[in-house]
Amino acid sequence: HRDRCQNAGDKNKNDLEDLEHSIETTTVKIEKLSSDIERLGDEIEVLDASIAKTKGEMKDALDLRNQDVADFKQALKDDAAATELVEKAAVAVKKFYEKNGIPLSLLTKGQEELSEDDNAEPEYSIDKDKAPETSWSGGSYGGRESETGGVVSMLAMIKEDLE
């Protein structure tokens, strides 16, 4: 009976040591996991801050894109209005020249002639300090006929650029 008691006591002692060792290892694991929880919590905070920053940047980019789209649409409307205005101006210039009998040919003079005429000194018949006489009566305004094509072609080029 004594041997059984001693064996049972040894067994209990060994079981107790095993349990104490198990408690000790479990405590170490708990401490490690607690530090992991704390570290991961910090990482989650950093990632949450990064996500919030990225969402803010995405919102800013979307706002910028939407503003650019609105600006583009407004520019298209402005270009269409400008094209219409240039067309009306060209029609008005053509009517003016037709009304006054001025030819509308786009190339009334060669480039050489234009450059020579532009650089030529004016000829004075009486006094160079006296302004020339102008006559607007009679509806025969001649204007600078050599520049007729220039105005019309400039308006056409402006219209093309707007389109």
Side-chain angles (χ1 to χ4, degrees):
H1 201 261
R2 188 180 120 190
D3 286 337
R4 245 188 337 191
C5 244
Q6 194 175 12
N7 284 337
D10 287 341
K11 182 180 181 298
N12 285 341
K13 183 180 171 190
N14 286 337
D15 287 345
L16 185 60
E17 286 175 1
D18 287 343
L19 289 174
E20 284 176 359
H21 178 67
S22 180
I23 290 173
E24 189 176 307
T25 9
T26 304
T27 303
V28 169
K29 284 181 183 179
I30 288 173
E31 288 173 1
K32 182 185 178 305
L33 291 174
S34 294
S35 71
D36 286 348
I37 288 172
E38 187 176 323
R39 180 183 53 81
L40 291 174
D42 292 343
E43 285 181 24
I44 288 172
E45 287 178 20
V46 168
L47 291 174
D48 283 343
S50 177
I51 289 170
K53 180 182 175 190
T54 301
K55 284 183 178 179
E57 290 172 352
M58 287 172 57
K59 182 189 178 303
D60 291 345
L62 180 64
D63 291 345
L64 181 62
R65 182 175 185 278
N66 288 339
Q67 182 60 44
D68 286 346
V69 167
D71 291 346
F72 176 74
K73 287 179 180 177
Q74 184 60 44
L76 286 178
K77 287 179 185 176
D78 293 345
D79 286 349
T83 301
E84 185 180 329
L85 185 63
V86 168
E87 286 175 358
K88 287 179 181 179
V91 168
V93 167
K94 287 178 185 178
K95 283 183 181 178
F96 174 79
Y97 284 107
E98 288 171 358
K99 177 181 175 186
N100 291 296
I102 301 170
L104 284 174
S105 64
L106 292 177
L107 299 173
T108 57
K109 291 186 177 183
Q111 289 294 353
E112 300 83 27
E113 292 178 25
L114 283 175
S115 61
E116 289 173 11
D117 288 347
D118 289 343
N119 293 330
E121 291 291 323
E123 295 181 22
Y124 301 100
S125 58
I126 301 175
D127 183 7
K128 68 179 182 177
D129 293 327
K130 183 178 175 187
E133 296 292 324
T134 58
S135 172
W136 291 79
S137 60
S140 61
Y141 173 73
R144 293 188 69 173
E145 292 180 8
S146 65
E147 308 229 345
T148 303
V151 172
V152 173
S153 64
M154 280 193 286
L155 290 173
M157 285 189 284
I158 291 171
K159 181 183 171 199
E160 287 176 20
D161 287 345
L162 291 172
E163 294 174 335

